[in-house]
Amino acid sequence: MKNFNIKAVLFLNYFVFAILLNSVGTVILQMQQNFGITKSSASVLEGFKDLPIAICSFILASFLPKIGIKKSMLIALFLVSCMCFVMPFANDFWFFKLLFTIVGISFALIKISVFTSIGLVTNTDKEHSSFMGYLEGFFMIGVLAGNVLFSLFIDDHDPRSTHWLNVYWVLGGVSTLSFLFLFFTKLNESDAKSEKTDLLGDLRNSISLFSYKKVLFFLLCAFLFVLVEQSFQTWTPTFYKEILKVPTSMSIQAGAVLAGAFALGRFLSGFFSKKFSWIYVVSFCVVGFAISILLVLPLTHNIHINTDTNWFNAPLVVYLFPLMGGLLAPIYPSINSVILASIPKYLHSAMAGLIVVFSAIGGTVGSIITGFVFQEFSGQQAFYLSLIPLSLLIVSAIIMNKLKINPKK
């Protein structure tokens, strides 16, 4: 297969950061149990992760191709490897703030590099869209694996046990392996660079993206989608623990089931993107997810869970809730691929930076709002709120589909 080695590297890098980024839901739950942190206070971890992503993406997006795509990914993997080997000794909340800050900075480098690299290893719009879908699907496989991995280190009999921190030895090893794999892989970065411009010119190219209405509506779509996605991914473990009253390890495994549903949805998006227009896929998914919220959440009220509940004897709603993720999953790769395929390759880095910035802001806002409503009202009401951004998302996507980008502009 053409470009097999570098494609494999992109998948592996995404896998590593999928585990680290989406462990925030598990960590939030453990912070409440280990250190007595409140929900609203614990929710700031999402900000420590997402704000560095946004800031670094905004600063580095235009310059990254000149810095070097491969070099940027190596720096990111080195940073998270070092931090993972520190975490088993963590004994205070600030360690986790530092961890997610480092993970956020590193992911900014990784995601811009990966999104830029996709245009270098694919040749057509449909191939680009398909590869994006499979890549995002594999990202969710990483989320699933991460939730399962963390659950194996959880002590259900001692909520205050910090034995689970030993999981970071494993994550440090995987990050180091990814670093070595990338180090010995070649990547031709020439098409991602604009030789006609200097750094100031690259910055002007990035700013020029805001002049396109299609880009503006896309950024709104990205913001709204991640706002909904992160609220569900981050707070599902806590929802299962406090609303459904299942054991802690099972609550974290529910996050794995949600990730599995996301992975399946994104792999299917890689298939359906070759068959149908992206707007049909996105519209179907948004409407389907909204309907599933209205049907599934009422089942979580006044539910009785026995202390010996497990995946073999749990009520139906325990399975249904995370499966909703399969409908939400195809939206993000679909809209990302459409906008990236609409602009020249030398602008992909700048566009990827904007994607990461607005996604990070959406994730932070979604998690904090959900955490606040969860604490002050209920978990159900927190998730019902997602119907508002979902409505705005489908309207923005329809408008985005009608707009065109003039490549000569």
XYZ file of all heavy atoms in Angstrom, residues 227-299:
572
model
N -18.644 20.540 21.538
C -19.343 20.910 22.773
C -20.232 19.751 23.231
O -20.243 19.391 24.418
C -20.172 22.169 22.534
C -20.869 22.805 23.750
C -20.997 24.315 23.525
C -22.249 22.216 23.981
N -20.968 19.158 22.288
C -21.851 18.035 22.619
C -21.046 16.771 22.892
O -21.260 16.071 23.893
C -22.857 17.784 21.472
C -23.684 16.528 21.756
C -23.770 18.978 21.282
N -20.096 16.479 22.002
C -19.313 15.244 22.119
C -18.569 15.161 23.448
O -18.622 14.138 24.151
C -18.310 15.150 20.964
C -17.436 13.907 21.022
C -16.233 13.996 20.101
O -15.588 15.073 20.070
O -15.918 12.993 19.443
N -17.857 16.223 23.809
C -17.051 16.191 25.024
C -17.905 16.149 26.284
O -17.504 15.557 27.292
C -16.112 17.399 25.073
C -14.898 17.268 24.171
C -14.051 16.054 24.532
O -13.682 15.852 25.671
N -13.747 15.233 23.532
N -19.079 16.772 26.244
C -19.951 16.720 27.422
C -20.352 15.277 27.709
O -20.392 14.841 28.864
C -21.177 17.603 27.226
O -22.000 17.127 26.176
N -20.633 14.506 26.651
C -20.997 13.103 26.839
C -19.784 12.254 27.210
O -19.837 11.448 28.149
C -21.654 12.551 25.564
C -23.130 12.799 25.502
C -23.624 14.017 25.060
C -24.030 11.836 25.916
C -24.984 14.265 25.016
C -25.398 12.066 25.875
C -25.881 13.290 25.429
N -18.674 12.420 26.486
C -17.502 11.595 26.754
C -16.933 11.836 28.151
O -16.535 10.902 28.844
C -16.427 11.856 25.701
C -16.737 11.237 24.350
C -15.553 11.317 23.405
O -14.586 12.031 23.646
N -15.626 10.573 22.316
N -16.878 13.095 28.558
C -16.266 13.428 29.838
C -17.119 13.014 31.023
O -16.598 12.543 32.038
C -15.995 14.953 29.910
O -15.099 15.313 28.856
C -15.376 15.341 31.252
N -18.443 13.154 30.901
C -19.304 12.953 32.057
C -20.037 11.621 32.102
O -20.774 11.346 33.050
C -20.285 14.121 32.171
C -19.580 15.376 32.564
C -19.152 16.379 31.745
C -19.135 15.723 33.882
N -18.488 17.330 32.465
C -18.458 16.967 33.780
C -19.254 15.112 35.128
C -17.907 17.601 34.882
C -18.696 15.745 36.230
C -18.035 16.973 36.109
N -19.833 10.774 31.094
C -20.467 9.453 31.118
C -20.043 8.617 32.331
O -20.895 8.011 32.996
C -20.196 8.685 29.807
O -20.987 9.264 28.758
C -20.573 7.207 29.931
N -18.738 8.528 32.682
C -18.383 7.747 33.881
C -19.068 8.240 35.152
O -19.568 7.431 35.958
C -16.854 7.927 33.960
C -16.433 8.178 32.557
C -17.541 9.011 31.980
N -19.113 9.557 35.343
C -19.772 10.111 36.531
C -21.279 9.858 36.486
O -21.902 9.556 37.515
C -19.494 11.628 36.644
O -18.081 11.838 36.744
C -20.171 12.223 37.866
N -21.877 9.959 35.307
C -23.312 9.697 35.141
C -23.634 8.262 35.546
O -24.610 7.997 36.260
C -23.713 9.937 33.681
C -25.183 9.812 33.417
C -26.038 10.886 33.612
C -25.726 8.613 32.972
C -27.404 10.772 33.360
C -27.079 8.486 32.723
C -27.930 9.570 32.915
N -22.806 7.330 35.104
C -23.037 5.926 35.442
C -22.837 5.661 36.934
O -23.562 4.870 37.534
C -22.101 5.030 34.629
C -22.736 4.544 33.338
C -23.035 5.436 32.319
C -23.059 3.214 33.149
C -23.631 5.017 31.153
C -23.659 2.773 31.986
C -23.945 3.674 30.986
O -24.556 3.248 29.839
N -21.859 6.325 37.529
C -21.569 6.102 38.942
C -22.647 6.712 39.843
O -23.107 6.070 40.792
C -20.203 6.714 39.282
C -19.802 6.618 40.749
C -19.587 5.180 41.180
C -19.147 5.101 42.638
N -19.011 3.708 43.095
N -23.084 7.933 39.552
C -23.972 8.652 40.464
C -25.455 8.561 40.103
O -26.298 8.635 40.994
C -23.552 10.121 40.549
C -22.140 10.294 41.082
C -21.866 11.702 41.558
O -22.781 12.544 41.508
O -20.729 11.949 41.971
N -25.772 8.409 38.833
C -27.176 8.341 38.427
C -27.643 6.887 38.307
O -28.690 6.515 38.827
C -27.404 9.076 37.092
C -26.955 10.539 37.209
C -28.881 8.995 36.686
C -27.691 11.347 38.255
N -26.836 6.060 37.637
C -27.207 4.659 37.471
C -26.712 3.770 38.610
O -27.114 2.609 38.714
C -26.675 4.141 36.127
C -27.185 4.873 34.880
C -26.652 4.230 33.619
C -28.708 4.901 34.868
N -25.787 4.315 39.447
C -25.319 3.629 40.653
C -24.604 2.314 40.370
O -24.748 1.338 41.114
C -26.501 3.361 41.605
C -27.336 4.576 41.961
C -26.551 5.603 42.749
C -27.438 6.765 43.183
N -26.695 7.812 43.893
N -23.823 2.249 39.301
C -23.055 1.039 39.015
C -21.668 1.165 39.638
O -21.243 2.269 40.004
C -22.949 0.788 37.496
C -24.342 0.684 36.872
C -22.152 1.892 36.815
N -20.909 0.072 39.776
C -19.558 0.143 40.344
C -18.649 1.065 39.534
O -18.870 1.283 38.333
C -19.071 -1.313 40.273
C -20.326 -2.127 40.275
C -21.326 -1.312 39.507
N -17.598 1.573 40.189
C -16.690 2.529 39.536
C -16.055 1.949 38.282
O -16.000 2.607 37.231
C -15.582 2.966 40.519
O -16.180 3.568 41.666
C -14.651 3.973 39.855
N -15.547 0.729 38.356
C -14.890 0.128 37.187
C -15.867 -0.011 36.024
O -15.508 0.210 34.859
C -14.305 -1.242 37.543
O -15.318 -2.120 37.991
N -17.113 -0.351 36.338
C -18.135 -0.477 35.297
C -18.486 0.881 34.720
O -18.787 1.009 33.511
C -19.370 -1.150 35.883
C -20.394 -1.579 34.852
S -21.721 -2.539 35.609
C -22.885 -2.621 34.236
N -18.443 1.924 35.548
C -18.708 3.288 35.072
C -17.664 3.696 34.036
O -17.992 4.317 33.014
C -18.671 4.268 36.251
O -19.650 3.957 37.210
N -16.416 3.348 34.311
C -15.342 3.689 33.379
C -15.434 2.831 32.122
O -15.187 3.302 31.001
C -13.979 3.532 34.073
C -13.870 4.558 35.211
C -12.826 3.718 33.078
C -12.677 4.358 36.107
N -15.825 1.572 32.291
C -16.007 0.702 31.125
C -17.141 1.194 30.238
O -17.132 0.976 29.023
C -16.269 -0.726 31.591
C -15.047 -1.408 32.183
C -15.373 -2.619 33.014
O -16.534 -3.030 33.105
N -14.364 -3.188 33.653
N -18.124 1.889 30.837
C -19.209 2.472 30.038
C -18.641 3.491 29.062
O -19.127 3.636 27.934
C -20.248 3.122 30.945
N -17.588 4.207 29.516
C -16.904 5.120 28.615
C -16.271 4.378 27.451
O -16.208 4.882 26.326
N -15.820 3.138 27.729
C -15.238 2.317 26.665
C -16.305 1.882 25.665
O -16.066 1.854 24.455
C -14.553 1.085 27.270
N -17.492 1.550 26.179
C -18.596 1.177 25.291
C -18.995 2.364 24.419
O -19.247 2.223 23.211
C -19.813 0.675 26.099
C -20.971 0.334 25.173
C -19.427 -0.540 26.939
N -19.041 3.551 25.032
C -19.339 4.770 24.279
C -18.293 4.987 23.190
O -18.620 5.301 22.042
C -19.365 5.979 25.225
C -19.606 7.350 24.590
C -20.987 7.429 23.961
C -19.434 8.462 25.624
N -17.019 4.778 23.545
C -15.945 4.939 22.570
C -16.053 3.898 21.459
O -15.781 4.189 20.285
C -14.591 4.816 23.262
N -16.450 2.679 21.819
C -16.630 1.641 20.812
C -17.724 2.011 19.825
O -17.589 1.779 18.610
N -18.804 2.589 20.344
C -19.890 3.033 19.472
C -19.416 4.159 18.557
O -19.753 4.202 17.369
C -21.082 3.503 20.311
N -18.601 5.070 19.115
C -18.017 6.138 18.309
C -17.125 5.560 17.211
O -17.153 6.004 16.057
C -17.193 7.080 19.191
C -17.925 8.324 19.603
C -18.689 8.350 20.754
C -17.850 9.470 18.834
C -19.366 9.484 21.148
C -18.520 10.622 19.205
C -19.293 10.634 20.368
N -16.298 4.587 17.576
C -15.374 3.984 16.607
C -16.146 3.347 15.462
O -15.819 3.541 14.281
C -14.495 2.949 17.308
N -17.178 2.574 15.801
C -17.993 1.934 14.765
C -18.627 2.972 13.864
O -18.612 2.846 12.624
C -19.067 1.061 15.421
C -20.040 0.365 14.451
C -19.272 -0.581 13.529
C -21.104 -0.399 15.244
N -19.171 4.042 14.478
C -19.796 5.099 13.689
C -18.826 5.775 12.747
O -19.164 6.094 11.607
N -17.596 5.974 13.205
C -16.610 6.659 12.364
C -16.038 5.757 11.280
O -15.736 6.211 10.181
C -15.527 7.264 13.241
C -16.062 8.485 13.966
C -15.065 9.268 14.769
N -15.712 10.472 15.275
C -15.183 11.299 16.161
N -13.986 11.046 16.666
N -15.836 12.370 16.546
N -15.907 4.480 11.578
C -15.491 3.556 10.531
C -16.561 3.471 9.444
O -16.260 3.441 8.251
C -15.222 2.163 11.110
C -13.895 2.044 11.802
C -13.807 1.508 13.073
C -12.723 2.469 11.186
C -12.584 1.392 13.718
C -11.492 2.363 11.820
C -11.420 1.823 13.089
N -17.822 3.464 9.879
C -18.917 3.438 8.911
C -18.968 4.729 8.104
O -19.330 4.719 6.927
C -20.253 3.217 9.633
C -20.473 1.821 10.212
C -21.777 1.762 10.994
C -20.481 0.776 9.098
N -18.576 5.852 8.739
C -18.561 7.117 8.005
C -17.526 7.069 6.889
O -17.706 7.671 5.827
C -18.275 8.290 8.948
O -16.900 8.381 9.279
N -16.410 6.341 7.127
C -15.412 6.173 6.079
C -15.980 5.436 4.885
O -15.592 5.679 3.741
N -16.944 4.538 5.152
C -17.602 3.788 4.073
C -18.693 4.615 3.402
O -18.738 4.746 2.177
C -18.191 2.495 4.639
C -19.075 1.754 3.687
C -18.533 0.996 2.657
C -20.466 1.816 3.802
C -19.357 0.310 1.773
C -21.291 1.145 2.922
C -20.734 0.381 1.900
N -19.569 5.210 4.227
C -20.715 5.940 3.674
C -20.312 7.236 2.966
O -21.038 7.718 2.101
C -21.738 6.236 4.767
C -22.532 5.047 5.198
C -22.429 4.551 6.490
C -23.368 4.402 4.303
C -23.148 3.445 6.888
C -24.102 3.287 4.682
C -23.991 2.802 5.982
N -19.149 7.800 3.347
C -18.699 9.028 2.700
C -18.396 8.795 1.216
O -18.361 9.744 0.430
C -17.455 9.587 3.404
O -16.376 8.675 3.312
N -18.168 7.530 0.851
C -17.931 7.201 -0.556
C -19.241 7.017 -1.326
O -19.260 7.022 -2.550
C -17.106 5.910 -0.665
C -15.683 6.022 -0.135
C -14.946 4.701 -0.318
C -13.510 4.807 0.161
N -12.756 3.530 -0.018
N -20.338 6.859 -0.580
C -21.624 6.539 -1.197
C -22.599 7.717 -1.221
O -23.404 7.844 -2.145
C -22.283 5.372 -0.448
C -21.421 4.124 -0.318
C -21.187 3.437 -1.651
C -20.385 2.150 -1.463
N -20.122 1.467 -2.750
N -22.530 8.570 -0.174
C -23.520 9.634 -0.030
C -22.844 10.983 0.194
O -21.716 11.050 0.667
C -24.466 9.344 1.142
C -25.172 8.023 1.059
C -24.692 6.920 1.755
C -26.305 7.882 0.281
C -25.337 5.692 1.684
C -26.961 6.657 0.198
C -26.482 5.561 0.897
N -23.561 12.040 -0.122
C -23.078 13.393 0.157
C -22.953 13.573 1.659
O -23.787 13.082 2.435
C -24.053 14.421 -0.420
O -23.716 15.726 0.010
N -21.936 14.318 2.078
C -21.671 14.498 3.504
C -22.837 15.115 4.253
O -23.093 14.791 5.410
C -20.421 15.365 3.699
C -20.634 16.819 3.359
C -20.516 17.405 2.141
C -21.026 17.849 4.278
N -20.820 18.753 2.220
C -21.121 19.053 3.521
C -21.289 17.889 5.638
C -21.483 20.263 4.094
C -21.653 19.109 6.220
C -21.741 20.272 5.453
N -23.606 15.992 3.592
C -24.692 16.683 4.285
C -25.818 15.720 4.659
O -26.463 15.870 5.705
C -25.254 17.858 3.434
C -26.216 18.716 4.267
C -25.899 17.343 2.166
C -25.587 19.352 5.491
N -26.033 14.672 3.833
C -27.041 13.669 4.169
C -26.599 12.848 5.378
O -27.396 12.516 6.253
C -27.308 12.748 2.980
C -27.932 13.451 1.796
C -27.348 13.397 0.541
C -29.123 14.176 1.943
C -27.909 14.051 -0.547
C -29.695 14.830 0.858
C -29.085 14.765 -0.382
O -29.644 15.422 -1.442
N -25.313 12.505 5.413
C -24.764 11.733 6.532
C -24.873 12.529 7.827
O -25.343 12.017 8.859
C -23.290 11.351 6.264
C -22.685 10.667 7.490
C -23.175 10.442 5.046
N -24.454 13.802 7.787
C -24.480 14.647 8.978
C -25.907 14.884 9.460
O -26.203 14.792 10.661
C -23.767 15.991 8.702
C -24.025 16.986 9.833
C -22.269 15.769 8.531
N -26.825 15.181 8.542
C -28.223 15.449 8.920
C -28.862 14.227 9.571
O -29.550 14.336 10.595
C -29.031 15.867 7.690
O -28.517 17.056 7.123
N -28.643 13.060 8.976
C -29.190 11.822 9.538
C -28.672 11.590 10.953
O -29.430 11.228 11.866
C -28.820 10.638 8.636
C -29.225 9.299 9.207
C -30.515 8.823 9.034
C -28.311 8.530 9.915
C -30.889 7.588 9.567
C -28.674 7.300 10.448
C -29.973 6.827 10.270
N -27.370 11.820 11.148
C -26.750 11.566 12.451
C -27.247 12.539 13.524
O -27.525 12.139 14.656
C -25.231 11.657 12.334
S -24.494 10.292 11.408
N -27.357 13.816 13.178
C -27.812 14.808 14.159
C -29.247 14.523 14.585
O -29.567 14.505 15.788
C -27.698 16.240 13.583
C -28.354 17.247 14.541
C -26.247 16.617 13.363
N -30.121 14.304 13.625
C -31.530 14.035 13.932
C -31.656 12.728 14.720
O -32.396 12.642 15.711
C -32.365 13.971 12.638
C -33.793 13.517 12.953
C -32.385 15.337 11.956
N -30.923 11.693 14.289
C -30.977 10.402 14.972
C -30.503 10.490 16.414
O -31.092 9.890 17.317
N -29.440 11.253 16.645
C -28.906 11.392 18.002
C -29.879 12.159 18.892
O -30.089 11.806 20.060
C -27.556 12.105 17.965
C -26.857 12.157 19.297
C -26.270 11.021 19.828
C -26.778 13.337 20.018
C -25.632 11.059 21.061
C -26.141 13.389 21.243
C -25.561 12.242 21.773
N -30.478 13.204 18.352
C -31.457 13.991 19.123
C -32.644 13.119 19.533
O -33.109 13.178 20.679
C -31.920 15.191 18.304
N -33.130 12.304 18.608
C -34.254 11.419 18.913
C -33.857 10.397 19.982
O -34.628 10.102 20.904
C -34.734 10.695 17.631
C -35.373 11.712 16.667
C -35.727 9.588 17.974
C -35.735 11.124 15.320
N -32.632 9.877 19.884
C -32.181 8.874 20.857
C -32.084 9.469 22.261
O -32.353 8.784 23.253
C -30.841 8.280 20.422
O -29.800 9.247 20.486
N -31.708 10.742 22.356
C -31.663 11.410 23.669
C -33.061 11.440 24.287
O -33.252 11.131 25.470
C -31.125 12.844 23.535
C -29.620 12.815 23.235
C -31.384 13.649 24.816
C -29.035 14.183 22.968
N -34.038 11.817 23.466
C -35.416 11.929 23.949
C -36.004 10.574 24.328
O -36.899 10.491 25.190
C -36.282 12.593 22.881
C -35.929 14.049 22.541
C -36.757 14.540 21.360
C -36.155 14.939 23.763
N -35.528 9.508 23.719
C -36.044 8.176 24.000
C -35.321 7.477 25.147
O -35.945 6.758 25.940
C -35.959 7.302 22.743
C -36.847 7.702 21.560
C -36.596 6.770 20.373
C -38.321 7.671 21.948
N -33.988 7.694 25.242
C -33.172 6.933 26.200
C -33.105 7.583 27.580
O -33.217 6.899 28.607
C -31.753 6.711 25.643
C -30.850 6.067 26.697
C -31.817 5.832 24.399
N -32.915 8.906 27.639
C -32.738 9.556 28.941
C -33.906 9.348 29.912
O -33.686 9.181 31.119
C -32.464 11.055 28.761
C -31.026 11.430 28.391
C -30.876 12.940 28.259
C -30.028 10.895 29.409
N -35.158 9.350 29.442
C -36.262 9.095 30.396
C -36.146 7.737 31.097
O -36.645 7.565 32.200
C -37.510 9.153 29.500
C -37.121 10.067 28.383
C -35.683 9.740 28.114
N -35.479 6.785 30.458
C -35.334 5.449 31.048
C -34.362 5.438 32.221
O -34.324 4.462 32.980
C -34.839 4.461 29.976
C -35.722 4.281 28.740
C -35.059 3.323 27.752
C -37.101 3.769 29.129
